[in-house]
Amino acid sequence: MPHPSSMLHVGLNGFGGPEAMTVTEGPVPQPKDGEILVRVAAAGINRPDVLQRKGEYPPPPDASPILGLEIAGEVVAVGKDVKGYAPGDMVCALANGGGYAQYCTVPAGQALPFPKGYDAVKAAALPETFFTVWANLFMMAGLKEGESVLIHGGSSGIGTTAIQLASALGARVFATAGSAEKCEACLGLGASRAINYREEDFVAVIAQETGNAGVDVVLDMIGAAYFERNLKSLARDGRLSMIAFLGGAVAEKVNLVPIMTRRLHVTGSAMRPRTAAEKQEIRDALLATAWPLLEAGRVAPVIHAVMPFDKVADAHRMMEEGDHIGKIVLTF
């Protein structure tokens, strides 16, 4: 399938605020062995994009320096040794970079077919949050049916995905959020109790709701500011899974005794440094477990806003203001 040699993409005029991003022209990337080239129809906005724009989250040496970690669109070319995908296929994918562009290459093992009935906008809202939630909440923290989980940032893209998947797979879900509207959204997605962290102490609420037993898992994106309180909220053999540090990365004067006395596990990971094989393992698990839930309508991406590609600066401002519920998606 023919495609042009040049494309539009988002470039950076140095690191800084949203205004540092401009639409510019550059060459269309070519798929390497094991990669597919996708004509991008939509791309999701994620926190790591904001950090990279600021110069705080550099891409891996072999990744595109262009922002963007999740895309949806049409396969237009495949590299050597690619099996399962061909030009004309509609896919969404976890990209290693390069998503804010008309064309993007991704390892074939990080691509998934559109769920039945999905368009590019809905499909583009899936990869980053679903890969992250599955890896951290289910693979590493081992959340199981019948257990309980506290999800911080319940109205974020990660949070809305985690609430739905945990609830659909049989866990009891608690979530924190920063307004009555966001708490209502969390309840609508499957949380049994939403905690407005501006008005309530989540430690006290969890104690009350669990008869002082605590939850089995905490999925946390706040970091240092919540670390000790998260430990207090965990049950015996509980697991704290950390995926971001919005409230700081250095926790000082924290009482670590509960880790020993209640046999707690503290873990965490970032998605981008994982190997292609690790990401493919997550992809395969999503296809087997999450995709049937999406196609049955039991789980769905929550999309706050859909904006044209050239409004990328406004999309980043919206992300940083933090008033959104769910995902922000760019269209091409």
Side-chain angles (χ1 to χ4, degrees), residues 144-164:
K144 299 185 290 290
E145 182 180 3
E147 291 190 321
S148 57
V149 58
L150 170 61
I151 297 165
H152 290 302
S155 62
S156 66
I158 293 287
T160 55
T161 298
I163 290 170
Q164 291 183 82

Side-chain angles (χ1 to χ4, degrees), residues 275-295:
T275 66
E278 289 172 327
K279 292 174 185 176
Q280 183 167 338
E281 182 184 1
I282 299 166
R283 189 279 306 268
D284 292 346
L286 289 173
L287 277 175
T289 307
W291 253 233
L293 295 173
L294 290 164
E295 293 181 347

Side-chain angles (χ1 to χ4, degrees), residues 4-304:
S5 59
S6 63
M7 66 175 184
L8 297 177
H9 68 272
V10 172
L12 284 177
N13 293 324
F15 300 123
E19 67 282 352
M21 297 182 295
T22 59
V23 176
T24 186
E25 191 169 347
V28 171
Q30 298 304 307
K32 301 172 186 173
D33 292 356
E35 291 185 338
I36 58 176
L37 176 65
V38 179
R39 179 187 291 119
V40 180
I45 302 280
N46 292 282
R47 289 274 175 195
D49 304 343
V50 173
L51 295 176
Q52 184 176 333
R53 189 202 74 218
K54 293 178 175 180
E56 298 171 8
Y57 192 54
D62 58 346
S64 169
I66 298 171
L67 300 177
L69 297 174
E70 63 183 346
I71 60 167
E74 181 182 2
V75 177
V76 294
V78 300
K80 273 183 62 178
D81 301 323
V82 169
K83 295 181 176 67
Y85 294 107
D89 289 345
M90 303 302 293
V91 300
C92 58
L94 180 74
N96 297 331
Y100 292 7
Q102 290 179 311
Y103 292 85
C104 179
T105 56
V106 294
Q110 294 165 213
L112 306 101
F114 283 16
K116 291 173 186 171
Y118 272 51
D119 61 11
V121 168
K122 289 180 69 176
L126 299 174
E128 175 70 17
T129 58
F130 274 72
F131 271 76
T132 299
V133 169
W134 194 265
N136 288 277
L137 193 55
F138 297 100
M139 294 176 75
M140 294 182 67
L143 181 67
K144 299 185 290 290
E145 182 180 3
E147 291 190 321
S148 57
V149 58
L150 170 61
I151 297 165
H152 290 302
S155 62
S156 66
I158 293 287
T160 55
T161 298
I163 290 170
Q164 291 183 82
L165 282 175
S167 177
L169 294 174
R172 184 186 184 194
V173 180
F174 303 96
T176 62
S179 71
E181 180 189 11
K182 290 181 176 181
C183 284
E184 193 66 32
C186 293
L187 293 172
L189 293 170
S192 63
R193 176 72 155 85
I195 305 161
N196 185 338
Y197 64 80
R198 300 183 194 279
E199 299 176 355
E200 299 179 285
D201 175 11
F202 70 79
V203 178
V205 173
I206 293 299
Q208 180 180 20
E209 292 284 338
T210 63
N212 291 313
V215 293
D216 298 294
V217 177
V218 174
L219 182 66
D220 179 62
M221 58 185 70
I222 305 303
Y226 276 10
F227 187 67
E228 190 163 17
R229 296 166 68 197
N230 284 332
L231 297 182
K232 290 179 180 178
S233 300
L234 283 168
R236 184 178 297 275
D237 295 312
R239 292 89 74 192
L240 169 59
S241 181
M242 308 180 73
I243 59 171
F245 303 109
L246 299 179
V250 179
E252 298 180 358
K253 298 181 179 178
V254 173
N255 180 10
L256 300 178
V257 171
I259 296 176
M260 294 177 62
T261 58
R262 298 211 308 282
R263 302 194 301 259
L264 305 182
H265 301 252
V266 179
T267 186
S269 75
M271 184 56 60
R272 205 169 191 180
R274 287 176 179 264
T275 66
E278 289 172 327
K279 292 174 185 176
Q280 183 167 338
E281 182 184 1
I282 299 166
R283 189 279 306 268
D284 292 346
L286 289 173
L287 277 175
T289 307
W291 253 233
L293 295 173
L294 290 164
E295 293 181 347
R298 295 180 60 196
V299 173
V302 177
I303 298 174
H304 179 80

